[in-house]
Amino acid sequence: MDRPPRLTDRTALAAHRARACRGGGPELFLHREALSELQERLSEVNRSFTKPAIVTGFPAFWAEAFPDATVVADTDLLDLEPGAHDLVIHAMALHWADDPVGQLVQARRALVEDGLLLAVSFAGDTLRELRISFAEAESRLRGGLSPRVAPMGDLRDLGGLLQRAGFALPVADLSPRQVDYATPLHLMRELRAMGETNALDQRDRRPLRRDVLAATLDLYATEFPGDNGRVRATFQFAFLTGWAPSENQPQPMRPGSASHRLADALGTVEFDRDMNPMTDSAAADKGDD
């Protein structure tokens, strides 16, 4: 089987993460945001988990939140024992994976039957403003583009990853955040402090030209203003939920097998394609299609 194309320079990514962890420690407020929402989602699951595992590039932060968990790095081969965990959390690392399906397959194999996967990662329109500003500046001044911001999966693609990895009852959704910064340079400094600067394998290794940086900062401030003279940055978390298959899990109903109409249960009126109210008989005929 052919290996997927290499997205990430793992040596550079490890160096960026290590640099972020030195000194006063990494700036992980977005990890805290992700953790808070993830814990809220876990609280809605009517089950206790006694054998959790966490896959992450920032083990100290996530181990503090889940002190009883096995914590492993987000390497190509995850150091997880098959069938050893009832919960696997893939925490803020999937957007750097060369093979995200492989990461999820390994997470599924590490789960007991009916074990839960919860993955959270940057996705969607994350850093769209920075991506656009860099692209425009480089196009003007260099006549070409260099990869500056990691590509982010969209919701449909991410949901498909869960299905391809063999999870039952897969759910994928996006949780957006808008963050204002004093200047685009403050955003770039914070990305550096988060260990999230450019680690793309196909990046331009040469130092960023001053004129390209200046043009990028100017375009960003002009095109994406925030409140009170600041600038705005978009972040989106993708939350992926899936269960290791089990015979005891609920199964989806076959199309056309429902005995009651959803419109009746919700107390609403059902309309046809021309926005005409449907009679009971017409709705029944539609349900038989």
Side-chain angles (χ1 to χ4, degrees):
M1 180 181 297
D2 293 336
R3 290 179 59 85
R6 188 175 182 186
L7 170 72
T8 303
D9 179 344
R10 303 298 302 189
T11 301
L13 180 62
H16 295 170
R17 289 170 171 175
R19 180 181 61 200
C21 290
R22 290 195 293 267
E27 176 48 70
L28 296 180
F29 87 94
L30 286 169
H31 282 246
R32 290 191 288 273
E33 287 280 315
L35 171 63
S36 177
E37 187 160 344
L38 186 143
Q39 289 175 323
E40 182 178 346
R41 291 167 184 251
L42 275 176
S43 70
E44 296 172 355
V45 179
N46 187 25
R47 183 178 301 185
S48 297
F49 298 99
T50 59
K51 297 177 290 184
I54 301 175
V55 179
T56 184
F58 288 93
F61 173 85
W62 288 89
E64 182 179 359
F66 296 91
D68 297 328
T70 298
V71 182
V72 303
D74 59 316
T75 50
D76 289 342
L77 295 178
L78 301 180
D79 189 17
L80 292 175
E81 182 181 348
H85 303 282
D86 54 6
L87 170 68
V88 173
I89 296 172
H90 204 296
M92 298 295 285
L94 201 59
H95 57 288
W96 286 118
D98 288 339
D99 182 13
V101 174
Q103 291 280 297
L104 296 180
V105 167
Q106 292 178 78
R108 178 178 58 77
R109 289 173 180 167
L111 288 167
V112 299
E113 286 192 4
D114 205 30
L116 175 64
L117 166 82
L118 255 176
V120 56
S121 174
F122 288 130
D125 285 336
T126 294
L127 295 177
R128 61 176 293 272
E129 301 90 350
L130 187 60
R131 188 193 312 274
I132 292 170
S133 299
F134 263 128
E136 179 65 23
E138 287 198 298
S139 294
R140 290 183 186 178
L141 298 175
R142 297 184 58 183
L145 300 178
S146 173
R148 299 286 180 185
V149 180
M152 303 290 172
D154 65 27
L155 190 59
R156 179 174 298 185
D157 290 339
L158 293 170
L161 295 182
L162 288 169
Q163 294 178 315
R164 289 172 60 190
F167 282 98
L169 308 174
V171 177
D173 63 278
L174 291 177
S175 180
R177 300 289 189 281
Q178 294 284 344
V179 183
D180 282 0
Y181 290 89
T183 69
L185 198 57
H186 284 79
L187 165 63
M188 294 180 187
R189 289 171 179 164
E190 188 149 288
L191 292 173
R192 179 184 175 94
M194 285 192 288
E196 291 288 345
T197 45
N198 190 356
L200 294 171
D201 188 63
Q202 299 301 315
R203 72 190 185 281
D204 189 345
R205 260 67 168 183
R206 296 172 296 180
L208 179 62
R209 281 174 28 180
R210 291 179 178 271
D211 59 341
V212 173
L213 175 59
T216 299
L217 299 179
D218 183 64
L219 284 164
Y220 198 123
T222 301
E223 298 297 327
F224 305 106
D227 296 329
N228 301 318
R230 299 165 72 85
V231 297
R232 182 151 298 167
T234 297
F235 296 93
Q236 287 188 328
F237 298 124
F239 284 90
L240 309 181
T241 305
W243 297 85
S246 169
E247 293 181 356
N248 299 324
Q249 286 169 340
Q251 301 297 317
M253 297 180 66
R254 297 188 308 276
S257 62
S259 58
H260 300 282
R261 291 167 53 212
L262 179 61
D264 292 338
L266 298 177
T268 61
V269 177
E270 190 172 4
F271 293 85
D272 63 19
R273 293 179 181 177
D274 298 322
M275 297 305 294
N276 298 312
M278 295 179 67
T279 64
D280 289 342
S281 58
D285 291 342
K286 179 175 179 289
D288 291 337
D289 290 343

